[in-house]
């Protein structure tokens, strides 16, 4: 039995009374779902091709369209569910590894939703962020063990290199190639305007974006695509990518269909060739090897840039982070198992890695216990969805958060989860020129600025409610958090008390 025998996952419902046959839906759908039948004088739908990206629904001038999940199900049970059966049919037809994109959709616990934030009442009064100054700035980089003064009693400021953020949020790594030129332009412009950083991912830095260098993290991944001296010196910080939350333990894969024109030039690989970055860095098999790469990058940039080491949240993450902190890295970025991606094997995405909340709490505690917490800043990502997730992450010990899926949503992504096809109808995860131009970088950057501005207001309100006027004072302050519906073990790892205690 082949996939062609499966009933389509979505149904396109067209209200024929409202449809004016303008054919906008036909022109807008890169998946070729809609077509006009001159013979019948009607718009037709091929639902087998629909990915429910909602582009046609959003642009239909008469609201004639609706896309719904089909209620035609296989005879599932608690063990053999609809999706599981469909996947078996797909693999029986293709013989291939299942590919997906975006984050883990499984109903595993979202600990952010089981953690509640404190507020001041009566004593320790709250602070009104509209009337009082609130500090959301953070500085990422290694901090000295103690405050030092010179012979005149003046503070010594010769710190290791730091980056300043206006708020504890950055745009996480998304490579040029996995996302479009216009998506990158939107992120770069918004980061610059906001005083935060965006991240090149492993795709190199397009020459047009060197002007945003002060707000750019340049990444060095195992494939070393697009890495050269000017690239390293262009950014505000350099990130060594050892792993990513959506696919821990494996490398990256960008299909050759996306390696076209500028993408191939920026990556320094031939057009049409698959960009496959190996699972490990072939020169790193120990913390000592990692240390060599950290210091090679510091040498190449005259010790002026903080070095970030990014890892996926996995079982022994606390010990791994302890090693990284001793490798000379200035910042550790940890990516949880719900992190998004442009393409990942479905089995890896859905089954490998651990939640970022537990990883963060374990790492922060371990580094504190070892007396080296100040040697590194901690950045966490992997489905940070709101200002309250940011506040909870900071209270669990993070210096800042990475966001990517939330940023793409701001750009118009409708989470259809088919980025790997290269046919993103919203102009984000595509290199097809006619699709790329659908995302206007002026509008994209404005929407990102709006989102971050809104989060900054909310962060200030949440901080004010706790009677805290500086985000630095919240970092690692787990007394501000309480758990609900959590086991003793989960509370112990998170280092928080249960609500009511
Ligand atoms: S966009 Fe709407 S009105 Fe136009 S043809 Fe499609 S369904 Fe009909
Ligand atoms: S970026 Fe585009 S293809 Fe990917 S999930 Fe969002 S809308 Fe779909």
């Amino acid at each position: 039995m082949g996939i062609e025998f499966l009933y389509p996952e979505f149904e396109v419902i067209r209200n024929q009374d409202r449809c004016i046959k303008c054919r906008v839906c036909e022109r807008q759908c890169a998946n070729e779902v809609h077509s006009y039948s001159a013979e019948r004088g009607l718009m037709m739908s091929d639902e087998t091709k629909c990915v429910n990206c909602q582009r046609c629904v959003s642009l239909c001038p008469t609201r004639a369209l609706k896309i719904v999940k089909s209620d035609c199900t296989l005879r599932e049970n608690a063990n053999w569910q609809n999706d599981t059966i469909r996947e078996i049919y797909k693999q029986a037809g293709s013989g291939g590894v299942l590919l997906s994109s975006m984050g883990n959709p499984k109903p595993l616990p979202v600990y952010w939703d089981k953690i509640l934030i404190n507020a001041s009442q009566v004593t320790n009064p709250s602070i009104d962020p509209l009337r009082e100054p609130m500090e959301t700035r953070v500085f990422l980089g290694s901090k000295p063990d103690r405050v030092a003064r010179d012979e005149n009693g003046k503070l010594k400021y010769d710190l290791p290199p730091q980056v300043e953020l206006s708020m504890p949020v950055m745009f996480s790594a998304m490579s040029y190639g996995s996302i479009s030129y216009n998506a990158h332009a939107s992120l770069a412009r918004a980061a610059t305007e906001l005083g935060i950083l965006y991240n090149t991912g492993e795709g190199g830095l397009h020459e047009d974006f060197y002007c945003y260098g002060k707000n750019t993290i340049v990444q060095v991944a195992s494939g070393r695509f697009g890495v050269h001296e000017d690239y390293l010196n262009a950014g505000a910080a350099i990130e060594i990518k050892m792993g990513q939350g959506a696919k821990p333990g494996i490398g990256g894969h960008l299909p050759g269909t996306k390696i076209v024109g500028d993408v191939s030039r920026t990556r320094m690989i031939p057009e049409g060739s698959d960009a496959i970055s190996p699972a490990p860095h072939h020169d790193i098999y120990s913390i000592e090897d990692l240390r060599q790469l950290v210091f090679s990058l510091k040498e190449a940039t005259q010790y002026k840039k903080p070095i970030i080491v990014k890892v996926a949240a996995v079982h022994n993450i606390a010990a791994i982070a302890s090693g990284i902190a001793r490798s000379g890295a200035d910042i550790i970025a940890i990516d949880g198992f719900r992190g998004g991606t442009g393409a990942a094997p479905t089995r890896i995405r859905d089954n490998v890695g651990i939640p970022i909340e537990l990883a963060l709490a374990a790492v922060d505690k371990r580094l504190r216990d070892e007396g080296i917490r100040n040697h590194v800043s901690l950045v966490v990502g992997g489905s940070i969805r709101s200002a309250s997730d940011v506040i909870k992450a900071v209270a669990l010990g993070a210096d800042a958060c990475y966001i990517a899926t939330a940023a793409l949503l701001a750009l118009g992504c409708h989470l259809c989860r088919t980025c790997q096809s290269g046919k993103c109808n919203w102009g984000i995860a595509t290199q097809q020129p006619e699709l790329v131009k659908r995302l206007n970088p002026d509008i994209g950057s404005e929407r990102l600025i709006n989102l971050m501005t809104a989060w900054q207001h909310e962060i200030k309100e949440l901080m004010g409610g706790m009677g805290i006027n500086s985000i630095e004072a919240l970092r690692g302050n787990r007394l501000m958090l309480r758990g609900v519906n959590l086991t003793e073990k989960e509370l112990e790892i998170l280092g928080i008390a249960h609500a009511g205690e």
Side-chain angles (χ1 to χ4, degrees), residues 14 18-26 34 43 56 59-62 64-65:
R14 193 183 317 266
R18 287 191 182 181
C19 178
I20 55 172
K21 299 168 193 68
C22 66
R23 301 177 73 169
V24 164
C25 49
E26 185 182 15
H34 307 276
M43 293 300 298
C56 58
L59 271 75
C60 170
T62 59
L65 284 171

Side-chain angles (χ1 to χ4, degrees), residues 250-268:
I250 65 166
H253 181 190
L254 191 66
T257 48
K258 280 186 162 182
I259 310 291
V260 290
D262 278 2
V263 174
S264 107
R265 212 159 39 79
T266 307
R267 288 196 182 223
M268 306 192 309

